[in-house]
Amino acid sequence: MGKPKGDAARSKARPSSSSLAASLLPSGSATAAVGFGGYVGSSRFEASMSNEDSASFLDLDSEVSQHLQRLSRKDPTTKIKAFASLSELVKQKKGKELVPIIPQWTFEYKKLILDYNRDVRRATHDVMNNIVTGVGRDLAPHLKSIMGPWWYSQFDLASEVSQAAKSSLQAAFPAQEKRLDALNLCSAEIFAYLEENLKLTPQNLSDKALASDELEEMHQQMISSSLVALATLLDILLREPDKTGSANINAESKLASKARSVATSSAEKLFSFHKCFLNFLKSESPSIRSATYTLLSSFIKNVPQVFGEGDVRCLAPALLGVFRENNPACHSSMWEAVLLFSRKFPQSWAHLNIHKSVLNHLWQFLKNGCFGSPRVSYPALILFLEVMPIRSVEADKFFVNFFKNLLAGRSMCESSRSDQLSLLRAATECFLWGLRNASRYCDDPNSIHDLQVDLIDKVLVKILWADFFDLSKGSIPPIPRKSAEALSMGNSVSYLQELGRCILEILSGINLLEQNLLSFFCNAVQESFLNTLQQENVEIVTGSMRKMIDFLLLFERYSVLEGESWPLDQFMGPLLSKAFPCIKSSESFDGLKLLSVSASVFGPRKIVPVLIRDVETSTLFPSEKGRDMSPEKFVKAVQEIFIPWCMDGCDSLTPARQDLLLSLLDDECFTQQWSDVISYVYNEQDQGFSNLAAMKMLLEKARKEITKRSSGQELNQRIGSQADHWHHRLIESTAISLVRSSPTTSTSTSQFLCSVLGGSTEDSSISFVSRSSLVLIYREILEKLLSFIKQSPLCSVNDTFSSLIVEAVDIEFDLSSSVDVIVVAKFAAEVIDGSFFSLKALNQDVTLFSAILSSIFIIDLESRMTSLVDNTLYEFKEERKDRNLVCDLVHAVCSKMNNQFWKSINYDARKSSASILVQSMRSVVLLEDDLQPSQLTLLCVWMTEVLEYHSLDQSDEENLCGLLLLESNVWPMWVSPSSSASINTYGMPVHLCELRKFRSQRYVSFINSLIMKMGIHRFLVDHKDNEFASQAWLSAEILCTWEWPGGNAQNSFLPTLVSFCKSEPTSGSLLNSIFDILLNGALVHGEDERESLGSMWVDFNNHIEDVEEPFLRALVSLLSTLFKEDLWREEEAMAAFKMLTDKLFIGEETSKNCLRISPFIMSIIISPLRSKIQSDVSGEDTMPPLDVFLGDWLERSLSFPPLVLWQSAEDMQDWFQLVVSCYPVSEKANEAKELQRHVSDEEGTLLLDLFRKQRQAPGASSVVSQLPAVQILLARLIMIAVTYCGNDFNAEDWDFVFSNLKRLIQSAVVVMEETSENVNDFISGVSSIDNENDTLEGLGHIVSVSDSSIDNAKNALSAFSLLNALVKPKPFDSLNSLAYETWDPVKDRILEGVLRLFFCTGLAEAIAASYSTEAASIVASFRADHLQFWELVAQLVVDSSPRARDRAVRAVEFWGLSKGAISALYAIMFSSNPIPALQLAAYIVLSTEPISRLAIVADGNVSLSDESLNDQESSNDGLPSEDKLLLRDEISCMVEKLNLELLDTDLTAPERVQTFLGWSLLLSHVNSLPSLTQGRERLVHYIERTANPLILDSLFQHIPLELYMAQSLKKKDGEIPSELSVVASAATRAITTGSSLSTVESLWPIETGNMASLAGVIYGLMLRVLPAYVREWFSEIRDRSASSSIETFTRLWCSPSLIENELSQINKADFKDESFKVRISKAANEVVATYTKDETEMDLVICLPVSYPLRPVDVSCTKSIGITDAKQRKWLMSMLMFVRNQNGALAEAIRIWKRNSDKEFEGVEDCPICYSVIHTVNHSLPRRACVTCKYKFHKACLDKWFYTSHKKLCPLCQSPC
């Protein structure tokens, strides 16, 4: 009731009458009522439920009556709410305050407990609980009126309702005795209430109009609950009290006596009135039938006197023939009623036809698996047999039918193992019951015996045994199955085992009952089995054997262990004795297994006499029956009969015969028997085993036997449970002899040795030889491995072998012998592989064990190296193939060495092995010259893994790392580990020096890879004395090496070193030591840097790699990094400065080497050094101040001639460079405004004097006599002077600065222009027949500029950039001596030169690209060689004025090369070897005026006019045709010719970057064009028509919408992942500003996040300028998930800004007409346009969707006066078309629609095709008139009509046009 239709009518939680009755009896007197089948009634009233917490917030007096009235409503929701409120009110009051509501509540309660809705009924009892809890004892006066319905509710079909009712009753009467007293007191009222219930029908059940099905369900609920309530009440009131339970109770109380009287009379009355309740038994409702069974059981137990003879006659067919009941919910109560009725009224069986009324239904009941109640019904069957009448059936037929149908029911129980167990248990019990009670069915002994034999034959043999032994489906029993079901193999095997157990229990029971009966079964089975063996069908014989084996194993599990003798004496013994000759002759696998299992189950001493009972022999005699054979006879029998039979030959049955042989090993005779087996196999003549294969199999089986014997309860005590029990001198001697001999190619020898040694797996390490023999065998194996290593073609492996392995083990071998090394090594590898885990037995022999492990590692190293080194090492292919075979075997061994294996090995062995491994790896890296970076990495990974397996402690691991760092004749190259001094390589031949350098670089690459893998601390930290100095040389060596295969110090080692020093507080000494080593090395090798310093100035901060001397380069790199990372500060700078100045002079002489390296060091330490000196005000430092040194160095430089007069650099250059290095200048404009160090007045004066000395020299402005180094120094000096002394400059100083800057930059311009012209001439002269490689090589020579002008110009550009940054903000404040009239002309002139440089490099690449992309790449690669120069150029190009850019473009066009200025800009932006700064500069120039006008549309097109479309009305065709418009090729390929392959490229691929930049440029240009101009409309229409929408697909590959969709399931809209937030912000910013420049500026370096932001910007711009285009693309998306994600993203972060922008433009629009008004509603996103003309008026509402513009704008008409419906629809449609097709602002669409309407009122006829005056796309008027009908059409509409209709006829009159 209140449940979905089809639910079970009765809840399983509802108690039976007996259980509830037991719960209500007093604890002192109630006994556990045990019902049928061991059912014990549970106390359903014992569990109490917790009350809800009270919450007082309502007024009881004013609301209680109201809520009680609401309970009469029909709506269940209203009732439940009323219950909730009423419950809260009741909780607020207690005691007397609740008494007044009880009468009304009782009235409502009686109705509510019958409600259809279960929630209403449950809530009713919840309120009842609260009321009775609050009212307490005051409930007593009202108890009788409410007790009937209250008792009825305890048995509600819904478990939650009945539980709530019980809780309320327990709340009122917590004690069990009190509840019983209440029932006694109100017994009459309860019986009366239940009697009335049973008289009700569905029609008179309720006074409300309810559906018939609801009424029927309510009636069934009421009848069922009433019947159970009645039965329970009778059990409680009429049960005899337990007089022994309480000594104080002498007689029943009067109240209880009265209640018993009332119960008896009421029961008699009800039984008579309802005519034995037969009508309820016939009910269609299962719940009513079940309740009736329960009630009848209660009547039989409590008031049997009500059953008259007529009643029994009437009930007999209904109860005894009840097996038609197919609802399992009724079966429990059904069985109880049937059994009680049969026991109480046995004469009832005479009133019906048993076969027809009972048995036929019983067979069906059993065949159907008891209709789903096996656990209830199967245990009841034996009880049913007890109560059945004896003479009413034929015993033999009855039992056969009974068991056939019982077992047939298995098909219904196959899904549940417990159900199957219940069935088989019932079968066992019933069969044994039948045997024991045969006398009940027969009178004389012969008849009894015959019946028992029939049962055994017809049931046990032909049904149960046949079911177990059936071969039709192998081991799966042949049980009928439903066609739709498939029995799993697991269930089938389980059933088979349980069936076998059932048969065994029956047999055991027969044996206990009468042993003679067992012979009938045994004889029948033996005869059947022997007949089967005689058949020729192999499958049948095999199946029978397997079935018998299965049954035999069950003996071991269930019978034999209990000490029963019949299985062997009566069953298996005779069977095996007769079957053995047949089994031996046929030699089938299963037959042999049957013998083996028999021996295992019954014991060899018992089974052998059985087997040889019929064998005729002169020496053996069968033992007496039932006794074991004597040990001597047993051993002799096995020796003469079974050992020869089992060990002769080797075939497929040998394993089975050996299993039999091992099963015959008796514990008492084990040693003698095992010796007999080994002696029989051993061949004395050959001194070995004649059949190694058979012996190998025997040993493997023996190993399993040892495991089996040691796993019992008597662990390690049973003979044969330990390996040494199986040792034999013949096995050991044979194994040693075989390993010492020269093995053949056969694998039988190695396999035999593996079987002897054991260890093929981790769990099979049992060895059959002693430890001494094991050592001898493995020593021989090691010798064979060493022979193989000695002949390795790898020099590194040979070196390791000769220096390590041979010295460790005292082994002598002769390689000159005729032994095939490959063959013996293969043999040794096979033995090692097959006995690997037995190696651990050598744990105590560290030397031998480590030598074997090391040999394995070295061979495995060769295995790995064969794929890494040159294949020419092998002279013969066959030799290589054979060696690889051995290496592969050893590699398989290494794969078994996991972490667990290494932990089980002796630590010393691990340590020794690891040491050899490390030295082996060192030799490989140092000596194998063909290793590549990737191969080094592979070796590094392999080594770190193996070292990890060795699991050494920290100290030993550091020692291993120390072995790697040992000095050799190859490595290190620069720093000696012992002295930390630089290594002198002077005098070494060049080729040897280069070879050493090459090998050293490779080794450093290996060490660095290990550092990255294992951590730098393992190589730098010396934990013995907690100091770092001992390994400082290693850092210096790596830094000096600088570059190596696959990496370099600056990007790899230095970051690791810095990270380590930051985390290690005591790392200061390490850094100091590294600095000392590098400084001393730089001083020694300072002479090597003269050439590089003599020709150019090195940028210390950005081009450290340009320093060629290793120590100086390492020193500069280290210092720069330490100060940059703030590891070193002022104090360290001061210490370095003091050390440098101390070494600068050697007595009075200057150290030239120190002077040459000092500029590099001073350029880095000068800034922190200045800070330190300024902070030291104590004056206690004995060192002279920095100003003293700088002044001295400046005065020394002033003593030199001016730079322009130098004829050679000499030592003056070094001093000059030292001075310049002390004045750092930032080349970044934003940092150049502040000096990087303070300069004193005296110092500034000296610096200014040094600058002026250069300009005062004659010819200072001449460039002819200046050396390249002089030009660089002069440019640098100018830069420094402008920075530090610019305020003190006079006009002459500025003239000198500007003239030199212009000269230096102009020289670079000349070089670049010449290069561009040469490239143009060269490419123009190339013909198609020229070789491409020659062409590219010639082009490379042209663009390779070796002139120093680029380097000179770089310094000039740096100075100009700095000067520009200083002057830009406030020229007169920054440099008060520089006037506008001086600066502006100079700036423009220089910037024009910079722009010419910019365009020249672009022109060269564009021209080269016209030939091939490879040619363009060659030109672009030239720029990479001068990266800083071009970055300065790009920076100045961005700062150039539009006027300067325009002049530069005109100059380029006037130049007349094959490519123009715009092509040059695109070539830079889309360069194949891009420089980010140049790309950005090109983008900015292309996207800003005046260049942007030329950047999009191709040359030769009509320029995009800015003329408004409002002025186009006089035009015939509106906009010019888009066919006349062509985009530039560079943009067209990005817009029109996108390829699907773009979607498959990487997200940062150059193709994507170029495409996105092109679209960004295009959209920015479109946005910059004024709205409703001819130029913008033409371009927009062209894009719509030609653009590939693939661009939008690619955009959303970058926008991570999946992150939001995943997170949106957990969070509300608006909360987005950080990755998507950046993209959303970029899109919103683009929509708001209409610009993408800020995002493009941050695009580099190209990363996925930056690309995603650019994708968001492009999407935002598309939504802004091409909304209709985006909407069309969106409407074609078929992926709903993608569509939803895109719409959500747009709606949340794009649409709000777009809508706000649209509404803002409409609000600001001036329509200049009083007849047209526009109002906006921002809250509703609506625009109301009111058009008034004469006496007509119309309001059109334009509604913008929340996901605008993805969803179309909606237009509706809300007001129309004086306008016909046709015109209203036309105007509505025209407005809709305008706003949906408009790619500009909606304000413009509204304006065009207004013009359209005005034209109609002016009399202009609309186009008959589109029904609009103004065309919705190109905004033209209808001008094309038909010559026949004179109607005018839009040209675009007419063209489309012609195209789609495929004919040129007028749409109206169909005349030719």
Side-chain angles (χ1 to χ4, degrees), residues 363-602:
W363 304 150
Q364 290 299 318
F365 184 81
L366 295 177
K367 190 180 295 185
N368 286 279
C370 304
F371 293 112
S373 64
R375 301 182 197 180
V376 173
S377 299
Y378 285 139
L381 292 177
I382 190 171
L383 301 177
F384 182 74
L385 293 178
E386 290 279 0
V387 300
M388 275 194 64
I390 300 173
R391 307 298 180 183
S392 60
V393 296
E394 296 180 22
D396 54 347
K397 293 183 179 180
F398 169 78
F399 281 109
V400 170
N401 288 329
F402 178 84
F403 284 104
K404 279 185 178 179
N405 290 289
L406 176 63
L407 293 176
R410 183 211 160 194
S411 61
M412 310 302 295
C413 305
E414 58 190 11
S415 62
S416 172
R417 184 171 182 269
S418 60
D419 291 348
Q420 293 179 354
L421 289 176
S422 298
L423 185 151
L424 294 175
R425 192 175 298 114
T428 303
E429 294 175 352
C430 292
F431 184 85
L432 292 176
W433 183 92
L435 287 180
R436 296 188 186 104
N437 291 277
S439 58
R440 296 179 61 179
Y441 299 92
C442 305
D443 295 330
D444 60 283
N446 291 332
S447 300
I448 295 173
H449 184 267
D450 292 341
L451 177 57
Q452 291 174 333
V453 171
D454 281 348
L455 283 176
I456 292 173
D457 178 58
K458 296 179 180 178
V459 176
L460 181 59
V461 175
K462 294 182 178 179
I463 297 179
L464 295 177
W465 179 257
D467 192 6
F468 178 84
F469 216 77
D470 198 320
L471 307 179
S472 61
K473 292 188 178 180
S475 61
I476 300 178
I479 300 298
R481 294 172 179 80
K482 294 184 179 180
S483 59
E485 296 179 356
L487 184 61
S488 67
M489 182 62 69
N491 285 341
S492 299
V493 173
S494 175
Y495 173 77
L496 187 65
Q497 293 176 349
E498 295 300 332
L499 178 60
R501 180 179 180 179
C502 168
I503 296 173
L504 281 178
E505 291 177 354
I506 291 174
L507 293 176
S508 181
I510 295 174
N511 181 62
L512 294 175
L513 179 65
E514 186 178 347
Q515 290 188 355
N516 291 333
L517 291 176
L518 193 60
S519 61
F520 292 98
F521 171 81
C522 295
N523 292 336
V525 171
Q526 292 166 8
E527 182 181 357
S528 174
F529 182 73
L530 293 174
N531 289 337
T532 303
L533 296 184
Q534 303 301 322
Q535 295 187 25
E536 296 181 358
N537 191 322
V538 178
E539 292 184 0
I540 293 178
V541 174
T542 301
S544 299
M545 290 285 190
R546 292 176 180 175
K547 288 290 185 178
M548 190 59 70
I549 291 171
D550 291 341
F551 192 68
L552 192 57
L553 292 174
L554 292 175
F555 277 128
E556 182 180 24
R557 182 178 301 179
Y558 299 117
S559 296
V560 177
L561 295 180
E562 299 174 3
E564 299 185 15
S565 61
W566 65 265
L568 178 62
D569 295 341
Q570 298 189 51
F571 185 70
M572 288 304 301
L575 185 147
L576 291 175
S577 179
K578 297 173 183 178
F580 179 67
C582 180
I583 293 173
K584 187 176 181 183
S585 61
S586 64
E587 286 200 342
S588 67
F589 175 84
D590 294 290
L592 291 168
K593 185 176 181 181
L594 177 62
L595 297 179
S596 302
V597 173
S598 299
S600 299
V601 171
F602 300 109

Side-chain angles (χ1 to χ4, degrees), residues 1705-1725:
Q1705 290 188 40
I1706 294 173
N1707 195 34
K1708 295 176 182 178
D1710 183 10
F1711 295 99
K1712 299 179 181 180
D1713 195 336
E1714 295 181 356
S1715 64
F1716 190 74
K1717 296 180 180 180
V1718 175
R1719 304 187 307 277
I1720 64 172
S1721 173
K1722 292 186 177 180
N1725 293 340

Side-chain angles (χ1 to χ4, degrees), residues 50-120:
S50 61
N51 294 330
E52 300 180 36
D53 297 335
S54 60
S56 177
F57 60 91
L58 296 178
D59 185 4
L60 174 64
D61 296 336
S62 60
E63 297 184 9
V64 169
S65 59
Q66 177 184 355
H67 292 311
L68 287 173
Q69 291 175 2
R70 291 172 61 196
L71 296 179
S72 301
R73 304 278 182 88
K74 185 177 180 180
D75 180 31
T77 304
T78 303
K79 291 181 182 179
I80 292 173
K81 291 181 179 178
F83 277 126
S85 301
L86 185 60
S87 181
E88 296 297 332
L89 290 173
V90 169
K91 289 179 183 179
Q92 297 174 18
K93 302 298 180 180
K94 299 294 182 182
K96 300 295 184 181
E97 296 175 338
L98 293 175
V99 173
I101 73 168
I102 293 179
Q104 186 177 354
W105 166 250
T106 302
F107 176 78
E108 298 294 341
Y109 181 79
K110 292 179 180 179
K111 295 189 298 181
L112 292 170
I113 61 172
L114 301 178
D115 196 277
Y116 178 76
N117 188 285
R118 67 174 63 188
D119 292 331
V120 172

Side-chain angles (χ1 to χ4, degrees), residues 114 894 1014 1247 1313 1315 1381 1515 1641 1748:
L114 301 178
C894 287
M1014 303 170 59
L1247 183 60
E1313 287 182 344
T1315 301
E1381 59 271 12
S1515 171
E1641 288 176 343
Y1748 175 81

